[in-house]
């Protein structure tokens, strides 16, 4: 039975993650390497554990989270779909069962806001983990680099972020500490409104409400 550790330690998976992140560097995108996929997997695990999903559901979500961005090595456009296509032979080689391959591919293929939908609780957890990974350390460009765009400013302004799960009150909260010197709250919403909207839909799939808290102020 395929495990997260098998996927994480597989040389081919490592190569695809590294090559995909090199493409992100070349086109000026934020970090999409081991730190990102590891954080997405951790957040998905945190959410599903707090909501008492099975160990196997959690393992499937973590595997999908770790593979969700490998399609960036093909092209950023439609990378969710490319990631699923690339993951298919990997999962077969590692001995995944067909039903679990199907679940993993659907999670991967539905994580990008341009075509995403929380098609399962595992997909919902991965969506939130992905969209909530906003942090200064993801920024490649440094001021006053002319390529330091709005998304860089927003990520750079967030010096701490965390996803909190309150099962009792059915709340999933993304808490961010933002330095207004680099980005305003208005700009945060301008950059990430579609992502926050997707997080709300994902939380609903889990029977929860999604909240965004910036500098100890509830925004959503």
């Amino acid at each position: 039975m395929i495990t997260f550790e098998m996927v994480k330690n597989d040389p081919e998976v490592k190569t695809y993650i590294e090559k995909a992140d090199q493409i992100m560097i070349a086109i000026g995108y934020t970090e999409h390497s081991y730190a990102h996929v590891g954080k997405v997997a951790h957040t998905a695990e945190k959410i599903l554990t707090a909501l008492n999903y099975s160990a196997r559901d959690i393992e499937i979500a973590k595997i999908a989270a770790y593979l969700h961005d490998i399609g960036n090595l093909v092209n950023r456009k439609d990378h969710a779909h490319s990631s699923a296509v690339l993951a298919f032979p990997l999962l077969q080689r590692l001995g995944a069962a067909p039903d679990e391959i199907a679940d993993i591919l659907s999670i991967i293929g539905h994580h990008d806001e341009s075509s995403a939908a929380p098609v399962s609780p595992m997909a919902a957890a991965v969506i939130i983990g992905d969209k909530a990974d906003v942090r200064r350390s993801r920024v490649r460009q440094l001021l006053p680099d002319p390529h330091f765009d709005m998304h860089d400013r927003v990520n750079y302004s967030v010096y701490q972020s965390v996803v909190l799960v309150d099962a009792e009150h059915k709340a999933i909260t993304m808490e961010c500490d933002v330095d207004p010197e680099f980005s305003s709250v208005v700009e945060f919403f301008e950059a990430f409104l579609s992502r926050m909207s997707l997080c709300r839909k994902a939380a609903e799939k889990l029977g929860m409400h999604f909240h965004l808290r910036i500098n100890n102020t509830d925004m959503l």
Side-chain angles (χ1 to χ4, degrees):
M1 191 161 53
I2 191 170
T3 66
F4 174 68
E5 289 301 318
M6 288 170 61
V7 172
K8 183 178 179 180
N9 295 318
D10 185 76
E12 189 176 354
V13 171
K14 291 179 179 180
T15 298
Y16 288 175
I17 290 174
E18 290 167 8
K19 290 291 186 180
D21 194 49
Q22 288 173 19
I23 299 299
M24 294 295 94
I25 293 172
I27 64 176
Y29 272 66
T30 52
E31 180 267 322
H32 282 73
S33 190
Y34 296 116
H36 173 61
V37 298
K39 187 173 179 64
V40 177
H42 173 74
T43 301
E45 178 181 29
K46 178 179 181 179
I47 292 169
L48 295 173
T49 299
L51 299 180
N52 295 315
Y53 281 86
S54 72
R56 196 62 196 157
D57 284 346
I58 294 168
E59 197 79 353
I60 293 302
K62 290 172 64 180
I63 291 169
Y66 210 74
L67 297 173
H68 80 280
D69 271 343
I70 59 175
N72 281 319
L73 68 86
V74 178
N75 197 292
R76 179 62 181 175
K77 183 176 174 60
D78 294 328
H79 75 280
H81 308 145
S82 300
S83 296
V85 171
L86 289 172
F88 179 58
L90 287 171
L91 296 167
Q92 284 189 316
R93 176 173 57 78
L94 292 170
D99 63 327
E100 293 192 337
I101 291 177
D103 288 341
I104 293 167
L105 297 184
S106 68
I107 296 168
I108 295 172
H110 284 90
H111 83 268
D112 185 67
E113 57 267 25
S114 64
S115 58
V119 294
S120 68
M122 296 94 80
V126 171
I127 285 170
I128 295 171
D130 183 38
K131 306 314 166 194
D133 187 18
V134 184
R135 53 186 162 83
R136 178 168 294 185
S137 56
R138 294 195 71 184
V139 178
R140 319 245 195 213
Q141 316 295 341
L142 298 178
L143 290 171
D145 192 297
H147 299 295
F148 195 92
D149 64 10
M150 179 174 67
H151 285 83
D152 288 322
R153 288 195 302 273
V154 171
N155 273 281
Y156 196 79
S157 72
V158 179
Y159 55 89
Q160 181 171 286
S161 65
V162 64
V163 172
L164 304 175
V165 185
D166 184 344
E168 181 181 355
H169 295 97
K170 298 186 179 301
I172 295 176
T173 303
M174 178 181 171
E175 276 197 356
C176 297
D177 293 325
V178 175
D179 186 342
E181 179 183 352
F182 297 103
S183 178
S184 67
V185 172
V186 170
E187 194 168 52
F188 185 104
F189 274 100
E190 185 178 353
F192 293 134
L193 181 59
S194 63
R195 301 183 192 187
M196 296 300 100
S197 177
L198 184 56
C199 284
R200 178 182 58 78
K201 293 176 183 176
E204 290 173 355
K205 180 69 176 183
L206 293 162
M208 308 286 280
H209 302 287
F210 180 75
H211 302 281
L212 174 64
R213 186 174 299 139
I214 298 177
N215 294 344
N216 294 317
T217 300
D218 290 332
M219 311 301 297
L220 288 175

